[in-house]
Amino acid sequence: MKKIYKLLTVGSVLSILVGCGGDEGLNDDTSIRDYSGFFTALPEQAIYPENNPYSKEKSDLGELLFWDPILSGNQNVSCASCHHPKFGWADGRAFSIGSDGIGLGPDRHGDEVTPIHSPTVMNVAFTGISVDTNTDNFTSGPYFWDLRADTLEEQAIGPIKNKIEMLGYNFHEDEIMTEVINRLSANDEYVDLFEQAFANEESINKEVINEKNIAKALATFQRKITTSNSRFDKFLNGQTDAFSETEIIGLNTFIDGGCVTCHSGPMLADNLIREDEKIIDSLDAVRTPSLRNITKTAPYMQDGSRDTLARAISIYEDRDDIGVSVGEDDFTGLEIFLRTLDASVYSHIPARVPSGLPVGGDINQ
Ligand code: HEC
Ligand code: HEC
């Protein structure tokens, strides 16, 4: 299709309007509506559950555990091997390489490959949030593409016990946590860090390095990785000049085209599985993923089969089966809107981890 690119100046902002030959197609509604029934801004602070309240000590400990390959069977893989800030806290791969992997991102190689694409851990503190959520008593979740883990605490031990991800073949899944706890307990630095992190939570006679506390620390750290204050949040908070006309068109198309049926709320995801409305025919239905910071987490979809955002959006052409009515002419506007969800994100990498092992595992070779 022949496209006409027009440049126009709106105040001092230069925005690019992409039109199409003919006057039908591209939604050209530049009016600002009341969006509050569809979206609200992402909270500026992470939400921590009552049974695992925030403390800096716990969060910092969780960060070290997240990067320390000491949690893996062969002490070579960490959570960060597959959830790395360089790839938007995912791994930039269609499928992840785990327990025998070497390298990072697209360059990582090895034989142990996960059956599904690694989602980001950005904004996991807000998974499941909706426009109606009362943040005073919100519990985030459930997690995973099939929603099988209710909480982040429950999720955190899963990868450690998974042969492909972190366990490898030298330990049984029933013995690895004892092994990990022994390793951590033999490390004076970890003993101190766990005591500081859980001083107020544990009764005196209990060993402070245990499975529950490892999970609590990992969950607390991950809740810190949030991306509020995108231009979309500013726009929703009333700063209407945060959006160009083209971005408003994209937003209105996102609503009128039917994307908002599933991609709604502060996360642009209802986190629900619709068995009868599969996005990719040949694969099982999965939960609606968040679209926050979406430019940072290619490739897309549960099988990582769409390598660019444009290719992910184009899957929605003529999709009456899922109630979506957008055409090729709308894709650019949709993408321009989705790019307004970018926000800066915490991306610190610790200089060292207490085990003395390579930070992040075998990811730098
Ligand atoms: C080998 C790569 C790999 C490693 C290592 C790994 N993960 Fe993951 N992670 C994945 C994949 C793949 C999924 C999706 C699995 C699924 O949905 O069935 C996932 C899912 C998650 C989710 C769910 C996110 C969501 O939105 O539902 C969280 C949270 C998470 N991982 C945290 C961790 C933590 C914490 C660790 C370390 C203890 C870790 N991961 C280690 C690959 C990995
Ligand atoms: C019926 C619910 C539904 C509707 C409507 C819908 N989506 Fe999705 N979206 C999903 C689900 C579910 C996935 C994950 C699908 C998979 O991986 O199999 C997804 C994935 C995506 C992804 C990739 C996210 C990632 O991290 O991999 C993008 C981008 C996206 N949708 C944009 C849109 C746009 C734009 C529209 C409207 C044109 C739209 N969606 C309409 C449910 C929906």
PDB file of all heavy atoms in Angstrom, residues 145 254 258-259 261-263 274 277 279-280 284 286-291 294 297 300-302 309 312-313 316 322 324 326 334 338, ligand 2:
ATOM      1  N   TRP A 145       2.329 -17.322  32.245  1.00  0.00           N
ATOM      2  CA  TRP A 145       1.442 -17.237  31.082  1.00  0.00           C
ATOM      3  C   TRP A 145       0.132 -17.975  31.339  1.00  0.00           C
ATOM      4  O   TRP A 145      -0.914 -17.608  30.824  1.00  0.00           O
ATOM      5  CB  TRP A 145       2.125 -17.831  29.843  1.00  0.00           C
ATOM      6  CG  TRP A 145       3.225 -16.998  29.277  1.00  0.00           C
ATOM      7  CD1 TRP A 145       4.574 -17.204  29.436  1.00  0.00           C
ATOM      8  CD2 TRP A 145       3.101 -15.841  28.440  1.00  0.00           C
ATOM      9  NE1 TRP A 145       5.275 -16.236  28.760  1.00  0.00           N
ATOM     10  CE2 TRP A 145       4.399 -15.393  28.124  1.00  0.00           C
ATOM     11  CE3 TRP A 145       2.012 -15.139  27.917  1.00  0.00           C
ATOM     12  CZ2 TRP A 145       4.646 -14.283  27.326  1.00  0.00           C
ATOM     13  CZ3 TRP A 145       2.258 -14.032  27.120  1.00  0.00           C
ATOM     14  CH2 TRP A 145       3.560 -13.608  26.829  1.00  0.00           C
ATOM     15  N   PHE A 254      -6.805   2.447  19.637  1.00  0.00           N
ATOM     16  CA  PHE A 254      -6.619   1.328  20.572  1.00  0.00           C
ATOM     17  C   PHE A 254      -7.945   1.002  21.264  1.00  0.00           C
ATOM     18  O   PHE A 254      -8.283  -0.164  21.478  1.00  0.00           O
ATOM     19  CB  PHE A 254      -5.554   1.729  21.603  1.00  0.00           C
ATOM     20  CG  PHE A 254      -5.036   0.603  22.454  1.00  0.00           C
ATOM     21  CD1 PHE A 254      -4.020  -0.218  21.997  1.00  0.00           C
ATOM     22  CD2 PHE A 254      -5.548   0.376  23.722  1.00  0.00           C
ATOM     23  CE1 PHE A 254      -3.527  -1.252  22.792  1.00  0.00           C
ATOM     24  CE2 PHE A 254      -5.064  -0.650  24.522  1.00  0.00           C
ATOM     25  CZ  PHE A 254      -4.053  -1.469  24.053  1.00  0.00           C
ATOM     26  N   GLY A 258     -10.828  -2.105  19.656  1.00  0.00           N
ATOM     27  CA  GLY A 258     -11.142  -3.263  20.507  1.00  0.00           C
ATOM     28  C   GLY A 258      -9.970  -3.805  21.308  1.00  0.00           C
ATOM     29  O   GLY A 258     -10.125  -4.765  22.055  1.00  0.00           O
ATOM     30  N   CYS A 259      -8.794  -3.191  21.192  1.00  0.00           N
ATOM     31  CA  CYS A 259      -7.637  -3.681  21.963  1.00  0.00           C
ATOM     32  C   CYS A 259      -7.919  -3.599  23.459  1.00  0.00           C
ATOM     33  O   CYS A 259      -7.492  -4.447  24.249  1.00  0.00           O
ATOM     34  CB  CYS A 259      -6.394  -2.840  21.669  1.00  0.00           C
ATOM     35  SG  CYS A 259      -6.042  -2.595  19.926  1.00  0.00           S
ATOM     36  N   THR A 261     -10.429  -4.146  25.181  1.00  0.00           N
ATOM     37  CA  THR A 261     -11.220  -5.203  25.821  1.00  0.00           C
ATOM     38  C   THR A 261     -10.324  -6.036  26.734  1.00  0.00           C
ATOM     39  O   THR A 261     -10.732  -6.443  27.823  1.00  0.00           O
ATOM     40  CB  THR A 261     -11.818  -6.156  24.763  1.00  0.00           C
ATOM     41  OG1 THR A 261     -12.336  -5.382  23.703  1.00  0.00           O
ATOM     42  CG2 THR A 261     -12.877  -7.057  25.353  1.00  0.00           C
ATOM     43  N   CYS A 262      -9.119  -6.319  26.288  1.00  0.00           N
ATOM     44  CA  CYS A 262      -8.199  -7.146  27.085  1.00  0.00           C
ATOM     45  C   CYS A 262      -7.054  -6.317  27.668  1.00  0.00           C
ATOM     46  O   CYS A 262      -6.613  -6.557  28.779  1.00  0.00           O
ATOM     47  CB  CYS A 262      -7.627  -8.263  26.228  1.00  0.00           C
ATOM     48  SG  CYS A 262      -8.888  -9.219  25.364  1.00  0.00           S
ATOM     49  N   HIS A 263      -6.555  -5.353  26.885  1.00  0.00           N
ATOM     50  CA  HIS A 263      -5.426  -4.537  27.350  1.00  0.00           C
ATOM     51  C   HIS A 263      -5.948  -3.267  28.012  1.00  0.00           C
ATOM     52  O   HIS A 263      -5.909  -2.184  27.436  1.00  0.00           O
ATOM     53  CB  HIS A 263      -4.515  -4.174  26.179  1.00  0.00           C
ATOM     54  CG  HIS A 263      -3.831  -5.344  25.538  1.00  0.00           C
ATOM     55  ND1 HIS A 263      -2.752  -5.989  26.114  1.00  0.00           N
ATOM     56  CD2 HIS A 263      -4.065  -5.997  24.379  1.00  0.00           C
ATOM     57  CE1 HIS A 263      -2.351  -6.976  25.328  1.00  0.00           C
ATOM     58  NE2 HIS A 263      -3.133  -7.005  24.263  1.00  0.00           N
ATOM     59  N   ARG A 274      -8.504 -16.027  28.060  1.00  0.00           N
ATOM     60  CA  ARG A 274      -9.776 -16.272  27.368  1.00  0.00           C
ATOM     61  C   ARG A 274      -9.593 -17.491  26.464  1.00  0.00           C
ATOM     62  O   ARG A 274      -9.035 -17.370  25.366  1.00  0.00           O
ATOM     63  CB  ARG A 274     -10.155 -15.067  26.512  1.00  0.00           C
ATOM     64  CG  ARG A 274     -10.533 -13.854  27.322  1.00  0.00           C
ATOM     65  CD  ARG A 274     -10.787 -12.682  26.407  1.00  0.00           C
ATOM     66  NE  ARG A 274     -11.304 -11.541  27.144  1.00  0.00           N
ATOM     67  CZ  ARG A 274     -10.570 -10.763  27.933  1.00  0.00           C
ATOM     68  NH1 ARG A 274      -9.278 -11.009  28.070  1.00  0.00           N
ATOM     69  NH2 ARG A 274     -11.113  -9.748  28.575  1.00  0.00           N
ATOM     70  N   GLU A 277     -10.637 -17.201  22.855  1.00  0.00           N
ATOM     71  CA  GLU A 277     -10.159 -16.083  22.033  1.00  0.00           C
ATOM     72  C   GLU A 277      -8.644 -16.104  21.974  1.00  0.00           C
ATOM     73  O   GLU A 277      -7.965 -15.287  22.581  1.00  0.00           O
ATOM     74  CB  GLU A 277     -10.681 -14.755  22.597  1.00  0.00           C
ATOM     75  CG  GLU A 277     -12.187 -14.651  22.490  1.00  0.00           C
ATOM     76  CD  GLU A 277     -12.733 -13.298  22.957  1.00  0.00           C
ATOM     77  OE1 GLU A 277     -11.992 -12.521  23.577  1.00  0.00           O
ATOM     78  OE2 GLU A 277     -13.910 -13.036  22.668  1.00  0.00           O
ATOM     79  N   ILE A 279      -5.009 -15.584  20.527  1.00  0.00           N
ATOM     80  CA  ILE A 279      -4.388 -14.579  19.665  1.00  0.00           C
ATOM     81  C   ILE A 279      -3.640 -15.280  18.532  1.00  0.00           C
ATOM     82  O   ILE A 279      -3.706 -14.891  17.380  1.00  0.00           O
ATOM     83  CB  ILE A 279      -3.432 -13.665  20.476  1.00  0.00           C
ATOM     84  CG1 ILE A 279      -4.168 -13.063  21.675  1.00  0.00           C
ATOM     85  CG2 ILE A 279      -2.816 -12.593  19.588  1.00  0.00           C
ATOM     86  CD1 ILE A 279      -5.421 -12.280  21.366  1.00  0.00           C
ATOM     87  N   ILE A 280      -2.903 -16.325  18.902  1.00  0.00           N
ATOM     88  CA  ILE A 280      -2.232 -17.141  17.893  1.00  0.00           C
ATOM     89  C   ILE A 280      -2.979 -18.474  17.846  1.00  0.00           C
ATOM     90  O   ILE A 280      -2.947 -19.240  18.812  1.00  0.00           O
ATOM     91  CB  ILE A 280      -0.752 -17.384  18.254  1.00  0.00           C
ATOM     92  CG1 ILE A 280      -0.046 -16.035  18.503  1.00  0.00           C
ATOM     93  CG2 ILE A 280      -0.054 -18.181  17.162  1.00  0.00           C
ATOM     94  CD1 ILE A 280       1.382 -16.155  18.981  1.00  0.00           C
ATOM     95  N   ASP A 284      -1.955 -22.515  22.691  1.00  0.00           N
ATOM     96  CA  ASP A 284      -2.935 -22.401  23.774  1.00  0.00           C
ATOM     97  C   ASP A 284      -3.193 -20.937  24.111  1.00  0.00           C
ATOM     98  O   ASP A 284      -2.304 -20.096  23.966  1.00  0.00           O
ATOM     99  CB  ASP A 284      -2.386 -23.086  25.041  1.00  0.00           C
ATOM    100  CG  ASP A 284      -2.410 -24.589  24.908  1.00  0.00           C
ATOM    101  OD1 ASP A 284      -3.090 -25.091  23.996  1.00  0.00           O
ATOM    102  OD2 ASP A 284      -1.727 -25.249  25.721  1.00  0.00           O
ATOM    103  N   VAL A 286      -3.350 -17.826  26.415  1.00  0.00           N
ATOM    104  CA  VAL A 286      -2.569 -17.418  27.587  1.00  0.00           C
ATOM    105  C   VAL A 286      -3.147 -16.117  28.140  1.00  0.00           C
ATOM    106  O   VAL A 286      -3.993 -15.486  27.499  1.00  0.00           O
ATOM    107  CB  VAL A 286      -1.080 -17.204  27.242  1.00  0.00           C
ATOM    108  CG1 VAL A 286      -0.381 -18.533  27.008  1.00  0.00           C
ATOM    109  CG2 VAL A 286      -0.915 -16.273  26.035  1.00  0.00           C
ATOM    110  N   ARG A 287      -2.638 -15.688  29.292  1.00  0.00           N
ATOM    111  CA  ARG A 287      -3.144 -14.453  29.898  1.00  0.00           C
ATOM    112  C   ARG A 287      -2.709 -13.237  29.062  1.00  0.00           C
ATOM    113  O   ARG A 287      -1.680 -13.268  28.391  1.00  0.00           O
ATOM    114  CB  ARG A 287      -2.618 -14.336  31.338  1.00  0.00           C
ATOM    115  CG  ARG A 287      -1.091 -14.246  31.438  1.00  0.00           C
ATOM    116  CD  ARG A 287      -0.564 -12.843  31.429  1.00  0.00           C
ATOM    117  NE  ARG A 287       0.886 -12.816  31.251  1.00  0.00           N
ATOM    118  CZ  ARG A 287       1.754 -12.726  32.254  1.00  0.00           C
ATOM    119  NH1 ARG A 287       1.338 -12.653  33.482  1.00  0.00           N
ATOM    120  NH2 ARG A 287       3.045 -12.709  32.001  1.00  0.00           N
ATOM    121  N   THR A 288      -3.485 -12.182  29.160  1.00  0.00           N
ATOM    122  CA  THR A 288      -3.112 -10.941  28.474  1.00  0.00           C
ATOM    123  C   THR A 288      -1.874 -10.358  29.140  1.00  0.00           C
ATOM    124  O   THR A 288      -1.899 -10.078  30.341  1.00  0.00           O
ATOM    125  CB  THR A 288      -4.236  -9.893  28.575  1.00  0.00           C
ATOM    126  OG1 THR A 288      -5.484 -10.505  28.295  1.00  0.00           O
ATOM    127  CG2 THR A 288      -3.973  -8.733  27.633  1.00  0.00           C
ATOM    128  N   PRO A 289      -0.791 -10.164  28.383  1.00  0.00           N
ATOM    129  CA  PRO A 289       0.412  -9.580  28.990  1.00  0.00           C
ATOM    130  C   PRO A 289       0.330  -8.057  29.040  1.00  0.00           C
ATOM    131  O   PRO A 289      -0.372  -7.437  28.245  1.00  0.00           O
ATOM    132  CB  PRO A 289       1.528 -10.026  28.044  1.00  0.00           C
ATOM    133  CG  PRO A 289       0.872 -10.197  26.716  1.00  0.00           C
ATOM    134  CD  PRO A 289      -0.573 -10.544  26.985  1.00  0.00           C
ATOM    135  N   SER A 290       1.071  -7.467  29.963  1.00  0.00           N
ATOM    136  CA  SER A 290       1.143  -6.001  30.065  1.00  0.00           C
ATOM    137  C   SER A 290       1.817  -5.420  28.825  1.00  0.00           C
ATOM    138  O   SER A 290       2.656  -6.057  28.204  1.00  0.00           O
ATOM    139  CB  SER A 290       1.960  -5.619  31.294  1.00  0.00           C
ATOM    140  OG  SER A 290       2.209  -4.233  31.290  1.00  0.00           O
ATOM    141  N   LEU A 291       1.448  -4.197  28.468  1.00  0.00           N
ATOM    142  CA  LEU A 291       2.114  -3.516  27.349  1.00  0.00           C
ATOM    143  C   LEU A 291       3.025  -2.384  27.839  1.00  0.00           C
ATOM    144  O   LEU A 291       3.532  -1.603  27.044  1.00  0.00           O
ATOM    145  CB  LEU A 291       1.061  -2.978  26.365  1.00  0.00           C
ATOM    146  CG  LEU A 291       0.132  -4.051  25.776  1.00  0.00           C
ATOM    147  CD1 LEU A 291      -0.887  -3.422  24.831  1.00  0.00           C
ATOM    148  CD2 LEU A 291       0.927  -5.136  25.054  1.00  0.00           C
ATOM    149  N   ILE A 294       6.838  -1.720  26.482  1.00  0.00           N
ATOM    150  CA  ILE A 294       6.806  -2.801  25.499  1.00  0.00           C
ATOM    151  C   ILE A 294       7.956  -2.702  24.485  1.00  0.00           C
ATOM    152  O   ILE A 294       8.424  -3.715  23.970  1.00  0.00           O
ATOM    153  CB  ILE A 294       5.416  -2.829  24.796  1.00  0.00           C
ATOM    154  CG1 ILE A 294       5.225  -4.065  23.931  1.00  0.00           C
ATOM    155  CG2 ILE A 294       5.143  -1.571  23.971  1.00  0.00           C
ATOM    156  CD1 ILE A 294       4.902  -5.289  24.678  1.00  0.00           C
ATOM    157  N   THR A 297      11.062  -5.038  25.329  1.00  0.00           N
ATOM    158  CA  THR A 297      10.984  -6.475  25.622  1.00  0.00           C
ATOM    159  C   THR A 297      10.738  -7.365  24.395  1.00  0.00           C
ATOM    160  O   THR A 297      10.136  -8.430  24.520  1.00  0.00           O
ATOM    161  CB  THR A 297       9.894  -6.759  26.686  1.00  0.00           C
ATOM    162  OG1 THR A 297       8.662  -6.187  26.243  1.00  0.00           O
ATOM    163  CG2 THR A 297      10.256  -6.164  28.024  1.00  0.00           C
ATOM    164  N   TYR A 300       8.128 -10.751  20.904  1.00  0.00           N
ATOM    165  CA  TYR A 300       6.819 -10.732  21.551  1.00  0.00           C
ATOM    166  C   TYR A 300       6.046 -12.040  21.401  1.00  0.00           C
ATOM    167  O   TYR A 300       6.331 -12.838  20.532  1.00  0.00           O
ATOM    168  CB  TYR A 300       5.991  -9.582  20.955  1.00  0.00           C
ATOM    169  CG  TYR A 300       6.705  -8.262  21.134  1.00  0.00           C
ATOM    170  CD1 TYR A 300       7.366  -7.650  20.067  1.00  0.00           C
ATOM    171  CD2 TYR A 300       6.794  -7.666  22.386  1.00  0.00           C
ATOM    172  CE1 TYR A 300       8.066  -6.464  20.242  1.00  0.00           C
ATOM    173  CE2 TYR A 300       7.499  -6.482  22.569  1.00  0.00           C
ATOM    174  CZ  TYR A 300       8.124  -5.884  21.490  1.00  0.00           C
ATOM    175  OH  TYR A 300       8.835  -4.730  21.675  1.00  0.00           O
ATOM    176  N   MET A 301       5.015 -12.150  22.233  1.00  0.00           N
ATOM    177  CA  MET A 301       4.076 -13.276  22.291  1.00  0.00           C
ATOM    178  C   MET A 301       4.717 -14.457  23.037  1.00  0.00           C
ATOM    179  O   MET A 301       5.926 -14.501  23.229  1.00  0.00           O
ATOM    180  CB  MET A 301       3.586 -13.714  20.893  1.00  0.00           C
ATOM    181  CG  MET A 301       2.954 -12.604  20.085  1.00  0.00           C
ATOM    182  SD  MET A 301       1.436 -11.989  20.870  1.00  0.00           S
ATOM    183  CE  MET A 301       1.072 -10.555  19.826  1.00  0.00           C
ATOM    184  N   GLN A 302       3.866 -15.375  23.451  1.00  0.00           N
ATOM    185  CA  GLN A 302       4.292 -16.497  24.298  1.00  0.00           C
ATOM    186  C   GLN A 302       5.374 -17.353  23.651  1.00  0.00           C
ATOM    187  O   GLN A 302       6.096 -18.081  24.353  1.00  0.00           O
ATOM    188  CB  GLN A 302       3.093 -17.379  24.649  1.00  0.00           C
ATOM    189  CG  GLN A 302       2.419 -17.964  23.410  1.00  0.00           C
ATOM    190  CD  GLN A 302       1.354 -18.979  23.775  1.00  0.00           C
ATOM    191  OE1 GLN A 302       1.649 -19.974  24.415  1.00  0.00           O
ATOM    192  NE2 GLN A 302       0.119 -18.720  23.389  1.00  0.00           N
ATOM    193  N   LEU A 309       7.775  -4.790  17.363  1.00  0.00           N
ATOM    194  CA  LEU A 309       6.455  -4.368  17.843  1.00  0.00           C
ATOM    195  C   LEU A 309       5.478  -4.271  16.669  1.00  0.00           C
ATOM    196  O   LEU A 309       4.317  -4.679  16.781  1.00  0.00           O
ATOM    197  CB  LEU A 309       6.605  -3.018  18.561  1.00  0.00           C
ATOM    198  CG  LEU A 309       5.377  -2.468  19.272  1.00  0.00           C
ATOM    199  CD1 LEU A 309       4.753  -3.492  20.209  1.00  0.00           C
ATOM    200  CD2 LEU A 309       5.759  -1.200  20.046  1.00  0.00           C
ATOM    201  N   ALA A 312       4.196  -7.596  15.970  1.00  0.00           N
ATOM    202  CA  ALA A 312       3.249  -8.053  17.007  1.00  0.00           C
ATOM    203  C   ALA A 312       1.877  -7.431  16.752  1.00  0.00           C
ATOM    204  O   ALA A 312       0.849  -8.103  16.837  1.00  0.00           O
ATOM    205  CB  ALA A 312       3.764  -7.671  18.390  1.00  0.00           C
ATOM    206  N   ILE A 313       1.852  -6.161  16.391  1.00  0.00           N
ATOM    207  CA  ILE A 313       0.571  -5.480  16.172  1.00  0.00           C
ATOM    208  C   ILE A 313      -0.127  -6.042  14.931  1.00  0.00           C
ATOM    209  O   ILE A 313      -1.353  -6.206  14.908  1.00  0.00           O
ATOM    210  CB  ILE A 313       0.802  -3.956  16.039  1.00  0.00           C
ATOM    211  CG1 ILE A 313       1.322  -3.385  17.373  1.00  0.00           C
ATOM    212  CG2 ILE A 313      -0.481  -3.242  15.613  1.00  0.00           C
ATOM    213  CD1 ILE A 313       1.812  -1.956  17.297  1.00  0.00           C
ATOM    214  N   TYR A 316      -3.083  -8.527  14.546  1.00  0.00           N
ATOM    215  CA  TYR A 316      -4.479  -8.152  14.841  1.00  0.00           C
ATOM    216  C   TYR A 316      -5.262  -7.669  13.629  1.00  0.00           C
ATOM    217  O   TYR A 316      -6.363  -7.157  13.765  1.00  0.00           O
ATOM    218  CB  TYR A 316      -4.498  -7.084  15.942  1.00  0.00           C
ATOM    219  CG  TYR A 316      -4.065  -7.626  17.285  1.00  0.00           C
ATOM    220  CD1 TYR A 316      -2.798  -7.364  17.793  1.00  0.00           C
ATOM    221  CD2 TYR A 316      -4.921  -8.431  18.026  1.00  0.00           C
ATOM    222  CE1 TYR A 316      -2.391  -7.878  19.027  1.00  0.00           C
ATOM    223  CE2 TYR A 316      -4.531  -8.952  19.252  1.00  0.00           C
ATOM    224  CZ  TYR A 316      -3.276  -8.668  19.747  1.00  0.00           C
ATOM    225  OH  TYR A 316      -2.892  -9.188  20.951  1.00  0.00           O
ATOM    226  N   ILE A 322     -11.813 -12.173  17.632  1.00  0.00           N
ATOM    227  CA  ILE A 322     -11.541 -11.711  19.004  1.00  0.00           C
ATOM    228  C   ILE A 322     -12.058 -10.285  19.221  1.00  0.00           C
ATOM    229  O   ILE A 322     -11.621  -9.582  20.135  1.00  0.00           O
ATOM    230  CB  ILE A 322     -10.038 -11.795  19.359  1.00  0.00           C
ATOM    231  CG1 ILE A 322      -9.177 -11.039  18.332  1.00  0.00           C
ATOM    232  CG2 ILE A 322      -9.585 -13.241  19.477  1.00  0.00           C
ATOM    233  CD1 ILE A 322      -7.759 -10.774  18.821  1.00  0.00           C
ATOM    234  N   VAL A 324     -11.665  -7.599  17.376  1.00  0.00           N
ATOM    235  CA  VAL A 324     -10.750  -6.510  17.030  1.00  0.00           C
ATOM    236  C   VAL A 324     -10.998  -6.080  15.590  1.00  0.00           C
ATOM    237  O   VAL A 324     -11.063  -6.917  14.694  1.00  0.00           O
ATOM    238  CB  VAL A 324      -9.277  -6.950  17.200  1.00  0.00           C
ATOM    239  CG1 VAL A 324      -8.334  -5.907  16.621  1.00  0.00           C
ATOM    240  CG2 VAL A 324      -8.958  -7.188  18.672  1.00  0.00           C
ATOM    241  N   VAL A 326      -9.161  -3.582  13.433  1.00  0.00           N
ATOM    242  CA  VAL A 326      -8.174  -2.616  12.966  1.00  0.00           C
ATOM    243  C   VAL A 326      -7.579  -3.155  11.667  1.00  0.00           C
ATOM    244  O   VAL A 326      -7.567  -4.368  11.438  1.00  0.00           O
ATOM    245  CB  VAL A 326      -7.037  -2.374  13.988  1.00  0.00           C
ATOM    246  CG1 VAL A 326      -7.572  -1.703  15.246  1.00  0.00           C
ATOM    247  CG2 VAL A 326      -6.301  -3.660  14.340  1.00  0.00           C
ATOM    248  N   LEU A 334      -1.214   2.834  16.258  1.00  0.00           N
ATOM    249  CA  LEU A 334      -1.191   1.981  17.454  1.00  0.00           C
ATOM    250  C   LEU A 334       0.229   1.887  18.009  1.00  0.00           C
ATOM    251  O   LEU A 334       0.458   1.992  19.215  1.00  0.00           O
ATOM    252  CB  LEU A 334      -1.714   0.579  17.113  1.00  0.00           C
ATOM    253  CG  LEU A 334      -3.212   0.475  16.850  1.00  0.00           C
ATOM    254  CD1 LEU A 334      -3.570  -0.889  16.259  1.00  0.00           C
ATOM    255  CD2 LEU A 334      -4.011   0.729  18.131  1.00  0.00           C
ATOM    256  N   LEU A 338       1.663   2.995  21.612  1.00  0.00           N
ATOM    257  CA  LEU A 338       2.304   2.058  22.540  1.00  0.00           C
ATOM    258  C   LEU A 338       3.690   2.546  22.972  1.00  0.00           C
ATOM    259  O   LEU A 338       4.141   2.262  24.083  1.00  0.00           O
ATOM    260  CB  LEU A 338       2.379   0.656  21.933  1.00  0.00           C
ATOM    261  CG  LEU A 338       1.025  -0.045  21.754  1.00  0.00           C
ATOM    262  CD1 LEU A 338       1.210  -1.432  21.158  1.00  0.00           C
ATOM    263  CD2 LEU A 338       0.272  -0.151  23.087  1.00  0.00           C
TER     264      LEU A 338
HETATM  265  C1  HEC B   2      -9.039 -10.941  23.303  1.00  0.00           C
HETATM  266  C2  HEC B   2      -8.025 -10.258  24.109  1.00  0.00           C
HETATM  267  C3  HEC B   2      -7.037  -9.364  23.359  1.00  0.00           C
HETATM  268  C4  HEC B   2      -7.313  -8.345  22.495  1.00  0.00           C
HETATM  269  C5  HEC B   2      -8.658  -7.853  22.030  1.00  0.00           C
HETATM  270  C6  HEC B   2      -6.025  -7.798  22.107  1.00  0.00           C
HETATM  271  N1  HEC B   2      -5.019  -8.484  22.726  1.00  0.00           N
HETATM  272 FE1  HEC B   2      -3.044  -8.109  22.548  1.00  0.00          FE
HETATM  273  N2  HEC B   2      -2.633  -9.801  23.606  1.00  0.00           N
HETATM  274  C7  HEC B   2      -3.582 -10.614  24.182  1.00  0.00           C
HETATM  275  C8  HEC B   2      -2.956 -11.863  24.587  1.00  0.00           C
HETATM  276  C9  HEC B   2      -3.643 -13.027  25.274  1.00  0.00           C
HETATM  277  C10 HEC B   2      -1.592 -11.760  24.208  1.00  0.00           C
HETATM  278  C11 HEC B   2      -0.542 -12.874  24.317  1.00  0.00           C
HETATM  279  C12 HEC B   2      -0.845 -13.818  23.159  1.00  0.00           C
HETATM  280  C13 HEC B   2       0.141 -14.988  22.977  1.00  0.00           C
HETATM  281  O1  HEC B   2       1.325 -14.804  23.258  1.00  0.00           O
HETATM  282  O2  HEC B   2      -0.309 -16.057  22.549  1.00  0.00           O
HETATM  283  C14 HEC B   2      -1.432 -10.439  23.627  1.00  0.00           C
HETATM  284  C15 HEC B   2      -0.216  -9.931  23.188  1.00  0.00           C
HETATM  285  C16 HEC B   2      -0.046  -8.647  22.675  1.00  0.00           C
HETATM  286  C17 HEC B   2       1.228  -8.029  22.407  1.00  0.00           C
HETATM  287  C18 HEC B   2       2.586  -8.651  22.687  1.00  0.00           C
HETATM  288  C19 HEC B   2       2.919  -8.479  24.147  1.00  0.00           C
HETATM  289  C20 HEC B   2       4.147  -9.238  24.591  1.00  0.00           C
HETATM  290  O3  HEC B   2       4.748  -8.810  25.610  1.00  0.00           O
HETATM  291  O4  HEC B   2       4.517 -10.245  23.989  1.00  0.00           O
HETATM  292  C21 HEC B   2       0.971  -6.785  21.881  1.00  0.00           C
HETATM  293  C22 HEC B   2       1.988  -5.751  21.447  1.00  0.00           C
HETATM  294  C23 HEC B   2      -0.469  -6.634  21.839  1.00  0.00           C
HETATM  295  N3  HEC B   2      -1.045  -7.781  22.340  1.00  0.00           N
HETATM  296  C24 HEC B   2      -1.144  -5.529  21.354  1.00  0.00           C
HETATM  297  C25 HEC B   2      -2.511  -5.508  21.094  1.00  0.00           C
HETATM  298  C26 HEC B   2      -3.176  -4.514  20.260  1.00  0.00           C
HETATM  299  C27 HEC B   2      -2.489  -3.318  19.614  1.00  0.00           C
HETATM  300  C28 HEC B   2      -4.491  -4.883  20.190  1.00  0.00           C
HETATM  301  C29 HEC B   2      -5.590  -4.259  19.363  1.00  0.00           C
HETATM  302  C30 HEC B   2      -5.320  -4.134  17.945  1.00  0.00           C
HETATM  303  C31 HEC B   2      -4.641  -6.083  21.009  1.00  0.00           C
HETATM  304  N4  HEC B   2      -3.432  -6.442  21.508  1.00  0.00           N
HETATM  305  C32 HEC B   2      -5.860  -6.749  21.223  1.00  0.00           C
HETATM  306  C33 HEC B   2      -4.923 -10.344  24.317  1.00  0.00           C
HETATM  307  C34 HEC B   2      -5.603  -9.433  23.508  1.00  0.00           C
END
